[in-house]
Amino acid sequence: MKRTTKRRAEKRVSLALQGGGSHGAFTWGVLDEILADGRLDIEAITGTSAGAMNAVVLAQGMLENGRDGARERLENFWFSISDSSALAPPVRSLLDQFFKGWNVDGSPVQVWLDFVTHYASPYEFNPLNINPLREHLLGVVDFEKVRACNEIALFVAATNVNTGHIAIFDRPQLTADHVLASACLPFAFQAVEIDGAPYWDGGYLGNPALFPLFYKTACPDIVIVQVNPIQREGTPRTAREIQNRLNEITFNGALLGELRAIDFVNRLVDSGKLSRDAYMRPFVHRIDGADPLKAFSSASRLSAAWTFLQELRDIGRAAAKSWLTAHYDDIGERGTLDLRMAFTTNGTARRSSP
């Protein structure tokens, strides 16, 4: 039975939600626990791919019925991902191919799809540009209402294919296309065109993008919900292992760069070389799903099995509960993520003055 949220929020945070396919169900669990706990007020959410989907679904639910409404909407959304029976047959077929057939590494369906996506473009094998995620989003999210919701600031990242620059779409302009652009893997789906410009997955340049929180929010506490492992032992040897690890490195690269920049500015502020009046000094925290999610294969990121999504949700709940127990008192006082340990090689930071 679900807990009903009764506590009154005592502290404010902004959330930064990574993308990672169905591993975004871990983030669902984190959000569910934060909402149920009730002590944190969410000022803003920046998200990419599955993180962007979680963000807009949460905002929709908050608008309807506060924290309990957000929890219900998130569950409905992830259940819809697992239940394709309501979709039209062509869409259901594509969903089965892209998601349910990829549950096990080395499966015949996965091998076939690997071959197709590497030697044919989505403009060739998906000429009708069918994207099943659109149906799920529109079935759960009323974007007109989300755009009018002033309670939570939203920032969704995508990659502009023409310029190679990151694009940040904020709440007043959001549509399903903006969220789909944030989740558009170019080997699987045609680029999403917005105002004549093509966009791909935002994870290439910001997974998630943190900088909007520095300029457009007042809250210094940023909680990163991370689903992609930064470190992984062992040398990849098969083509699949190499591609999987390359994807992890690529989709963490921009985040590590931003953490490095935050650490540098924080040290300048702490040393008095930059004014606290002119520069925000962020308190960065992380709820880390990377280690527990290492147990699941990369192919599982495209699994839509309900039992699997529930398992990830429960792992996320446990991680958030543990983090709140350990670090709630730190919110508003200090960051709990060792930034230099997060971005330096082998976890060894070189101590130097700013």
Side-chain angles (χ1 to χ4, degrees), residues 134-151:
R134 180 181 295 276
E135 301 296 327
H136 295 297
L137 272 176
L138 293 178
V140 176
V141 179
D142 183 335
F143 280 90
E144 184 175 356
K145 289 183 178 179
V146 169
R147 289 192 296 271
C149 176
N150 294 320
E151 295 182 15

Side-chain angles (χ1 to χ4, degrees), residues 297-312:
S297 70
S298 181
S300 69
R301 294 168 186 254
L302 296 172
S303 170
W306 179 235
T307 54
F308 176 63
L309 299 179
Q310 288 177 304
E311 182 178 4
L312 294 179

Side-chain angles (χ1 to χ4, degrees), residues 334-345:
R334 63 189 64 83
T336 58
L337 175 63
D338 188 325
L339 295 173
R340 272 171 281 180
M341 290 291 288
F343 63 69
T344 51
T345 303

Side-chain angles (χ1 to χ4, degrees), residues 93-172:
S93 176
L94 187 67
L95 186 70
D96 289 340
Q97 290 177 359
F98 271 104
F99 290 85
K100 294 185 178 179
W102 285 47
N103 289 345
V104 181
D105 278 315
S107 69
V109 174
Q110 182 187 337
V111 172
W112 177 78
L113 282 172
D114 281 349
F115 177 83
V116 169
T117 56
H118 281 81
Y119 292 96
S121 84
Y123 295 87
E124 296 168 320
F125 66 77
N126 184 16
L128 298 180
N129 197 22
I130 298 172
N131 190 335
L133 291 174
R134 180 181 295 276
E135 301 296 327
H136 295 297
L137 272 176
L138 293 178
V140 176
V141 179
D142 183 335
F143 280 90
E144 184 175 356
K145 289 183 178 179
V146 169
R147 289 192 296 271
C149 176
N150 294 320
E151 295 182 15
I152 300 177
L154 298 177
F155 307 100
V156 170
T159 298
N160 186 308
V161 180
N162 289 343
T163 66
H165 294 167
I166 190 171
I168 301 296
F169 305 110
D170 58 9
R171 193 202 65 249

Side-chain angles (χ1 to χ4, degrees), residues 304-326:
W306 179 235
T307 54
F308 176 63
L309 299 179
Q310 288 177 304
E311 182 178 4
L312 294 179
R313 176 205 61 196
D314 291 344
I315 295 172
R317 282 175 173 168
K321 186 178 183 66
S322 176
W323 181 83
L324 283 166
T325 299

